């Protein structure tokens, strides 16, 4: 009977502590999940405000990612404090653990540092068509650790920021104009003057081709089986691929109609009859 009474007395002593712990845990979870929801909404709101203020999409996305990370860390500390964890000691432990994790995750830290450099140095911005880390595509967004490219066939390529900054970057959208470099070969028995005249007429008739700088059309090489011309018109960057395809198609049609031969690979085989 005395043992039962002792258990009841101990239960009565522990019940308020357990109740208080459960209440603190409940409010800690409420703070965490509501805070996380609010942090995501605030980060998204800031990103939209920056976009409306004509801030580059890549910069807005990168800034909102950092803002969300900082708010998430603060909310986590608030939730732990509500549960009863000593946040001062926890921050010290977290700092020591962060150092160890940082040493183990040097690649991730390198990606973060490279992301910061991309935002500061601005080798490209959202919407630019680039060749970086061996991948070509339009920059969709830049985040803390990765850059997202969208290819011409609508694939999304996710590249670590350190890989982008660690190699050569070709930005095809930085300049307003581009030069189309074409090599067009004609056969040796074709009329060179006629071929050049046809190409000049095609270039002059295309309104997308700029008059300044002037297009270059000249013989560049007397190759093994063809006389090669270089055709170098200047166009607006957005017209590059369409002009390139159209000029090649029109040259082929015009050469066929006016009898200018275009060589193709061929092999002459000579058979020798062996005398018996």
């Amino acid at each position: 009977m005395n043992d039962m009474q002792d258990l009841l007395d101990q239960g009565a002593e522990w019940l308020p502590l357990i109740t208080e712990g459960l209440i603190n845990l409940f409010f800690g979870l409420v703070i965490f999940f509501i805070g996380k929801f609010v942090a995501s909404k605030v980060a998204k709101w800031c990103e939209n405000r920056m976009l409306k203020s004509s801030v580059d999409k890549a910069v807005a996305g990168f800034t909102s990612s950092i803002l969300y990370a900082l708010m998430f860390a603060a909310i986590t500390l608030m939730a732990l404090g509500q549960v009863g964890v000593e946040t001062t000691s926890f921050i010290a432990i977290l700092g020591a653990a962060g150092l160890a994790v940082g040493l183990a995750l040097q690649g991730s830290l390198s990606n973060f540092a490279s992301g910061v450099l991309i935002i500061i140095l601005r080798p490209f911005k959202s919407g630019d068509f680039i060749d970086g880390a061996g991948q070509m595509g339009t920059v969709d967004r830049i985040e803390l650790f990765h850059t997202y490219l969208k290819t011409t066939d609508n694939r999304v390529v996710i590249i670590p920021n350190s890989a982008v900054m660690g190699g050569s970057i070709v930005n095809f959208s930085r300049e307003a104009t581009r030069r189309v470099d074409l090599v067009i070969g004609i056969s040796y028995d074709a009329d060179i003057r006629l071929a050049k005249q046809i190409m000049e007429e095609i270039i002059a008739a295309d309104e997308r081709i700029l008059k300044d700088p002037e297009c270059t059309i000249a013989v560049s090489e007397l190759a093994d089986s063809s006389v090669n011309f270089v055709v170098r018109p200047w166009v607006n960057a957005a017209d590059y691929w369409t002009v390139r395809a159209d000029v090649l198609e029109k040259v082929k049609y015009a050469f066929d109609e006016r009898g200018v031969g275009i060589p193709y690979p061929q092999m002459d085989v000579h058979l020798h009859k062996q005398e018996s």
Side-chain angles (χ1 to χ4, degrees), residues 115-136:
V116 174
L117 288 176
I118 290 173
I119 296 301
I120 294 174
L121 300 179
R122 304 293 298 278
F124 53 80
K125 63 181 186 299
S126 178
D128 284 355
F129 188 82
I130 69 167
D131 181 351
Q135 299 289 340
M136 296 181 65

Side-chain angles (χ1 to χ4, degrees), residues 65-269:
S65 298
I66 293 178
L67 179 62
Y68 176 78
L70 293 175
M71 288 191 295
F72 182 80
I75 290 164
T76 302
L77 291 176
M78 290 173 60
L80 290 173
Q82 178 64 38
V83 172
V85 177
E86 289 292 336
T87 55
T88 305
S89 302
F90 182 78
I91 291 173
I93 296 172
L94 188 63
L99 178 60
V101 172
L103 293 174
L105 300 177
Q106 294 182 33
S108 296
L109 294 177
S110 176
N111 289 331
F112 175 77
S114 297
V116 174
L117 288 176
I118 290 173
I119 296 301
I120 294 174
L121 300 179
R122 304 293 298 278
F124 53 80
K125 63 181 186 299
S126 178
D128 284 355
F129 188 82
I130 69 167
D131 181 351
Q135 299 289 340
M136 296 181 65
T138 302
V139 179
D140 184 36
R141 66 183 186 275
I142 304 167
E143 294 192 349
L144 290 178
F145 303 108
H146 298 90
T147 294
Y148 290 72
L149 300 184
K150 187 171 288 187
T151 63
T152 53
D153 57 350
N154 209 32
R155 291 178 295 130
V156 175
V157 182
I158 304 171
I159 309 174
N161 288 332
S162 60
V164 177
M165 291 299 291
S168 300
I169 302 172
V170 181
N171 191 333
F172 297 99
S173 304
R174 177 63 66 87
E175 301 296 332
T177 60
R178 288 184 63 185
R179 191 182 72 183
V180 182
D181 290 340
L182 302 175
V183 177
I184 299 175
I186 65 173
S187 60
Y188 271 92
D189 57 359
D191 188 338
I192 291 180
R193 294 184 181 86
L194 177 60
K196 185 174 182 179
Q197 177 186 341
I198 292 172
M199 289 184 282
E200 288 174 344
E201 291 172 355
I202 292 172
I203 295 299
D206 196 325
E207 296 181 354
R208 296 168 298 179
I209 295 176
L210 305 177
K211 305 303 180 183
D212 185 24
E214 186 178 356
C215 175
T216 299
I217 302 176
V219 174
S220 64
E221 183 183 14
L222 299 178
D224 294 337
S225 60
S226 64
V227 178
N228 292 337
F229 281 85
V230 289
V231 182
R232 295 172 175 170
W234 286 84
V235 298
N236 291 321
D239 296 328
Y240 178 88
W241 292 108
T242 54
V243 170
R244 188 180 191 280
D246 289 348
V247 169
L248 288 174
E249 182 178 346
K250 291 174 182 177
V251 166
K252 178 63 171 68
Y253 285 145
F255 279 6
D256 289 346
E257 291 174 358
R258 301 174 70 170
V260 177
I262 298 177
Y264 52 88
Q266 55 186 333
M267 179 182 297
D268 293 333
V269 179

Side-chain angles (χ1 to χ4, degrees), residues 10-24:
Q10 291 178 4
E13 292 176 0
W14 282 99
L15 183 60
L17 297 176
I18 295 174
T19 303
E20 182 181 358
L22 290 175
I23 292 174
N24 289 335

